[in-house]
Every structure is written in structure tokens, then in C-alpha cells.
Amino acid sequence: MTRIKNVDGFVEVRGAPFVGNFLEAVDDGPGLFLRAHAAHGDRVLMRFFERFEYRSLVGPEDIRHVLVTRADNYVKSKSYDGLKLVLGEGLVTSEGGHWKRQRKLAQPAFQPRSVDAFVPLMAECTHAMLDRWESEGLSRGVVFDLHAEMMRVTLRIIGHAIASVDLDGEARELGGALDGIVEFLNDYFAEVVKLPMWLPLPARVRFKRDLARLDALVHRLVAEHRARPTSETPRDLLDALVVAADQKGAMSDRQLRDEVLTLITAGHETTANALTWTFYLLARHPEIARAVEAEAREVLADGPVTVESLARLELTERVVKESMRLYPPVWGVERENLEDDELSGGARLPKGQTVSIATYALHRMPTLWESPERFDPDRFLPERSAGRHKFAYLPFGAGPRVCLGAHFALQEAKLVLAMIAERHHLELEPGHRVILEPGVTLRPAHGMRMRIRPTSPREPRAPAPAVARAASSSG
């Protein structure tokens, strides 16, 4: 990358002839944005194949401007069109009045009190996974893919929470179809030229088959939930969405379908990735892992996991937050402005620009974070967080479109992490290559090969103290 000139208040970073920064983005998208901003500041302009301009921001006040102050002037970029193939006009992909109505109807189902009612369900699914690990002999040192296990348990949790269906049992086919769809979307996201979906290419044929299986099951679930008496107390999120209505009436079957698939897709993939990267970081920093295990044994010793016990997992929460800083599941957010706009200092954003909030780079900027590459959960202690800019940390986005499921995801991640840590110590398989796969979400390209062993019941059960700053890097 070479700094060449200032364009409308942005530093243009030139890549290779003709392709521009495209090859660098394909090879290491998160790293490209981090290097560009670290070298050239908060506002960077890149080009993909010369004509396509891409303006990236990591300045917290610029981010506030785009996501909050002028939010009505910015819509999802064309990169999200691939998601519409699956999610239709769900909350992640819709815009304008339709999005506002759907958001308002769905909001009550995601209030903390409503979400916390699912804590026993989260604990039950996690307990079943741990029992299965025992029966399959994983605790005896068998190497396994932790990422696949986290995908499996979070899919089971979200299936029960959304529609009271066991996605690890009678509807296991949904899990297989969903895995295929996520894989296709990641590939589609990286395509430079979007070939027509009607072409009978093998990947598109498989995608349509998987989507048809998803649709059939979701439509059946919607029909079953509509048949329930509306006077009954909602048993899951789909029940709550079925009865939700405003002056325009309730959601249509198509709207319910789009929201259910949005919740299933977004509700397990991102949390599974967050947990996977968390265990990876703990494996790299065993002293912090031991402190998490001690806290889990202390807090969970009194019986089943409850909302109250989750609130006492203070170190566990800091570890999850720090993991999502270093490896945010949604590693970037894109918008497109409907009208000309101007940032502070006169930087211009002509109408129709693709504007990126480079979350991965934002979370590692040395101007915002002390020793940003260090895995340091204690940076989220209240006394160290007090002066931090509100828009320096955005694992769930910000503004009107902040993630509706943020509380659900954080409670789930804390619970799964603590229940595993109470019983097991995870170690990374020597020689396993950990490489970022930045598609729709930030996955490990080759899974996460690990071994587990039980924690010693003779280890101290005293409350875990705050962890000192880790000296080593995040890895």
C-alpha cells in the first residue's frame, strides 16, 4: 500500500494496477483495513478494479455521524444483497418503513426480561452437550473441532428459543441445510462478479435445495404457531412474533418467515464464532483460563445456572467482551449514502458511496486502545472503561440498527463459556493452523482443533480476582 493523495478528505491507498486493493482484500480483508488505518489515519479510500470506490472509517465521531446522527441518510450497501437471497426482508436486510415496523413489532420479544426467561433453556442445552462430550470420550483427550461444537449448541439453543424445535434432533436436517447456506453466502460475498442465480452451477443448485428445505420447515413452524390459541402465554419468540400487531395488523406469513430465518442465521453463527475465538484466546493465555475456571466453579457451585448467577460472572463477561474486541463476529459494517454528506473538517461523501465501518480495525487502533494486540480482559473493568469513547467498541453495531439480540448473545456466551470452564480445560491442538475466514462473519478457516481435560476439583474454589494484564499478544 502506498499513500498517494488526499481525495475529498480521505487518504487514497493505491493497490496493484487495474485490480487496486482487491487482491489484498481477498487475501486478508481484516488485515488490509487494519494496516491501512494504522498507517494513514481514520479516513481511508481504497479502489477495487479502479472504478469501485470504498471509503473506510474508524474515527469514533465519524462512526457516530454515519450510524446515529445521519442514520436516515444511510442504507445497507449492495454487499447485503446476497443475504436477501436467504433472509428476504428480515431485520438485517430490510430498510425504511418496513424495517421500522418490523423492528417495533419484534422489540418486546428481546427485552432483557424476555430474554432472561431462556436462561434455563440455554443451560439445559449446554448441559446436554457436556454430557455428550463425556459419552463420546472427548474428556479423555480426543481431538475435536470446537467451532463445530459451538455451532451445534448455539443452533440448538436458538431453535428452542425461537420455535420450540430441537435442531439437534427431529429437525437436524435444518442444521445441515443452514451450514450449506452459510458456506454459500460466504463464497457469494467474496464473488467479484455475481453470476445469475438461475445458472445451474453446482453450488447454486445445492444452495437452492438447502433453501427449499429451510423454507419448508419454517413455513410448517409458522403454521403450527398460528394454530395455537392467542390467549396462551407465548412459549417462544415465534409465538411472540405471531401475536405482535400494530395498527396495520399482525405480520404476514412471509414476514414471519423472513424474521425466523434472520434470527436462526444471525442468532447462532455470530455467538458460535464469538465462543470459538474466546476459547482460542484462553488456550493462548492459560493463566486467564484458570481464573475463568475458578470463577465458574465458585459461582456455579450452588446449583443450576440462573440470571442471578450469570450476573456474578464478572471476569467471564470481561473475557467475552475482550474476545469480541479482538475477533468481532461481524468484522465490518457497510452503508451507502442516499444524499451527499460531509464529515467534520470538510471531508466529503458524495451520494452513492460505499462507506465501511471497519470494526476489526477500530477495535485494534492504538489511538483508542492501549496495547491493542494484547488479550487483556481487565480493560473492561469499570475504572478502565470510564473514559473510553462510546463508539470505540462496536461488536453489536450502534444507533437505530444496533443488534436486537445483543443481550441474548451476551447471556448465552457467558453461560456456555462458564459451564464448559467449570468442568474442562481446553487446549489448542499443537500444529493446528488458525487462519481468519472473513466472510459474512469472522470464522476460523480450518475450524478450531482442541483437546479437553477436566479441571481438578481440588483446585481452589475462592472467587477469582481481577486478572493482571497478559504480557503476550492475542495471537
Side-chain angles (χ1 to χ4, degrees), residues 259-328:
E259 299 308 344
V260 168
L261 284 185
T262 295
L263 294 174
I264 289 176
T265 303
H268 94 285
E269 167 88 9
T270 51
T271 306
N273 289 340
L275 282 163
T276 301
W277 291 119
T278 299
F279 280 110
Y280 165 69
L281 288 165
L282 289 175
R284 294 290 303 272
H285 302 85
E287 73 286 2
I288 300 179
R290 296 299 185 191
V292 171
E293 291 160 10
E295 179 182 74
R297 289 194 302 274
E298 171 68 20
V299 172
L300 304 184
D302 298 333
V305 183
T306 63
V307 175
E308 291 72 27
S309 61
L310 282 180
R312 294 168 55 201
L313 293 169
E314 296 178 359
L315 171 60
T316 302
E317 180 169 325
R318 296 199 303 274
V319 165
V320 171
K321 288 181 175 179
E322 175 71 343
S323 171
M324 290 192 292
R325 180 187 71 84
L326 286 166
Y327 297 103

Side-chain angles (χ1 to χ4, degrees), residues 49-109:
F49 294 98
E50 297 299 331
R51 293 186 177 182
F52 182 70
E53 293 186 355
Y54 197 96
R55 300 182 187 231
S56 182
L57 304 171
V58 294
E61 286 303 319
D62 288 346
I63 293 171
R64 185 201 301 271
H65 178 93
V66 171
L67 297 184
V68 181
T69 308
R70 293 294 314 280
D72 288 344
N73 186 47
Y74 290 85
V75 296
K76 293 292 185 75
S77 75
K78 293 179 176 59
S79 295
Y80 293 85
D81 288 350
L83 289 177
K84 288 189 176 184
L85 296 173
V86 179
L87 308 182
E89 293 295 327
L91 284 172
V92 169
T93 52
S94 59
E95 296 287 352
H98 177 82
W99 169 80
K100 290 180 180 179
R101 177 175 185 263
Q102 293 297 96
R103 176 91 179 195
K104 183 177 180 181
L105 290 176
Q107 189 87 40

Side-chain angles (χ1 to χ4, degrees), residues 351-365:
K351 175 182 177 180
Q353 292 291 300
T354 298
V355 181
S356 167
I357 310 300
T359 312
Y360 181 90
L362 169 72
H363 287 180
R364 293 174 181 250
M365 291 300 290

Side-chain angles (χ1 to χ4, degrees), residues 182-230:
V182 170
E183 182 179 348
F184 174 83
L185 289 178
N186 282 337
D187 292 340
Y188 187 87
F189 182 76
E191 287 182 2
V192 180
V193 178
K194 309 297 185 189
L195 298 175
M197 288 300 298
W198 52 261
L199 287 176
L201 301 174
R204 280 158 168 72
V205 171
R206 288 193 298 271
F207 167 76
K208 291 178 180 179
R209 182 187 62 225
D210 288 338
L211 186 57
R213 292 163 62 191
L214 267 177
D215 279 337
L217 181 58
V218 171
H219 284 306
R220 177 174 66 80
L221 294 174
V222 169
E224 290 174 354
H225 281 65
R226 283 208 184 279
R228 281 170 50 83
T230 56

